[in-house]
């Protein structure tokens, strides 16, 4: 099935992006054996939070408009083409201790830096708006080669984005992520306990 952005450009799922993350994961034994993507880990984590009344965080649904459907038989319909109705903002939002939480989740196979091309201008603008309203906004970044996950506050991402727009580098170095961000130790339940980092930053 083909998905297209509102401007008509074809959407490529994350597993088909230029970094070809899913194919390369197979080379990392511990990661491929676990078989979980960052999204799946976060969905499990958020369900853990919700079930224990810690926080209510959900992945945002993306509204689509179906434009082509095939009916191979009477009992089945196959969607062949669809468009995203609106440009997406960030991946997750919800509430924790009465505060609005909004964040994006990205992963890269690049061992030394995180490419800023993984973000879009409308996402950056959305993060700015959330911060202006006093919300808690951040990105969760995974370096898949090392199975390292970091929480980087949106204010730092905005600084790196501004640097790029001013002619600077088009990525965030891993050293910068380690310095400005907060590593989240991977656990079992929850898998990515980012709420502990939020507590440290906002208490």
């Amino acid at each position: 099935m083909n998905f297209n952005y509102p401007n008509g450009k074809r959407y490529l799922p994350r597993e088909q992006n230029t970094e070809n993350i899913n194919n390369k994961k197979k080379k990392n034994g511990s990661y491929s054996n676990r078989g979980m993507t960052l999204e799946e880990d976060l969905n499990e984590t958020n369900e853990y939070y919700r079930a224990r009344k810690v926080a209510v965080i959900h992945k945002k649904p993306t509204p689509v408009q179906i434009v082509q459907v095939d009916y191979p038989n009477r009992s089945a319909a196959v969607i062949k083409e669809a468009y995203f109705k609106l440009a997406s903002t960030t991946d997750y939002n919800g509430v924790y201790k009465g505060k609005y939480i909004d964040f994006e989740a990205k992963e890269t196979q690049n061992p030394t830096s995180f490419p800023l091309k993984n973000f879009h201008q409308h996402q950056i603008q959305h993060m700015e708006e959330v911060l202006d309203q006093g919300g808690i906004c951040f990105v969760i970044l995974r370096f898949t080669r090392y199975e390292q996950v970091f929480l980087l506050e949106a204010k730092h991402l905005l600084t790196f984005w501004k640097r790029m727009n001013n002619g600077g580098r088009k990525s965030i170095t891993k050293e910068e992520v380690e310095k400005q961000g907060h590593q989240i130790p991977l656990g079992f339940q929850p898998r990515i306990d980012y709420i502990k980092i939020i507590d440290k930053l906002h208490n």
Side-chain angles (χ1 to χ4, degrees), residues 13-17 19-41 106-110 142-147:
R14 290 182 180 180
E15 63 269 17
Q16 296 178 18
N17 67 18
E19 295 185 73
N20 209 7
I21 290 173
N22 281 351
N23 287 337
K24 293 181 179 179
K25 281 176 188 173
K26 296 176 182 178
K27 298 178 182 179
N28 183 328
S30 62
Y31 194 84
S32 62
N33 288 342
R34 194 170 57 81
M36 298 288 280
T37 65
L38 177 58
E39 179 179 315
E40 288 169 331
D41 278 342
K106 301 285 188 182
E107 52 189 326
T108 183
Q109 189 71 18
N110 191 312
R142 171 180 262 163
F143 288 89
T144 59
R145 285 196 182 184
Y146 307 115
E147 263 197 85

Side-chain angles (χ1 to χ4, degrees), residues 70-110:
D70 283 354
Y71 295 91
N73 55 60
R74 292 182 179 180
S75 61
V78 178
I79 298 173
K80 303 296 289 185
E81 186 174 2
Y83 284 82
F84 293 115
K85 288 184 178 179
L86 300 170
S88 61
T89 53
T90 48
D91 287 333
Y92 295 90
N93 69 346
V95 62
Y96 172 60
K97 290 185 177 179
K99 294 287 287 185
Y100 176 75
I101 286 182
D102 195 295
F103 68 94
E104 177 73 6
K106 301 285 188 182
E107 52 189 326
T108 183
Q109 189 71 18
N110 191 312

Side-chain angles (χ1 to χ4, degrees), residues 108-184:
T108 183
Q109 189 71 18
N110 191 312
T112 60
S113 64
F114 207 98
L116 285 166
K117 67 180 181 180
N118 287 340
F119 300 95
H120 304 285
Q121 179 59 48
H122 62 268
Q123 293 177 320
I124 299 297
Q125 181 179 346
H126 173 75
M127 292 179 194
E128 290 177 330
E129 292 170 351
V130 171
L131 291 179
D132 286 344
Q133 294 297 322
I136 298 172
C137 191
F138 54 92
V139 292
I140 290 181
L141 308 177
R142 171 180 262 163
F143 288 89
T144 59
R145 285 196 182 184
Y146 307 115
E147 263 197 85
Q148 290 180 321
V149 178
F150 296 86
L151 184 151
L152 181 70
E153 293 175 272
K155 65 181 181 181
H156 297 307
L157 175 64
L158 298 179
T159 299
F160 294 128
W161 188 267
K162 183 177 180 180
R163 179 179 70 182
M164 178 185 69
N165 287 338
N166 289 336
R169 63 178 299 131
K170 297 180 180 180
S171 65
I172 312 169
T173 67
K174 190 169 186 290
E175 290 77 12
E176 288 173 328
V177 173
E178 291 170 344
K179 180 179 179 180
Q180 300 290 349
H182 304 267
Q183 187 169 357
I184 307 173

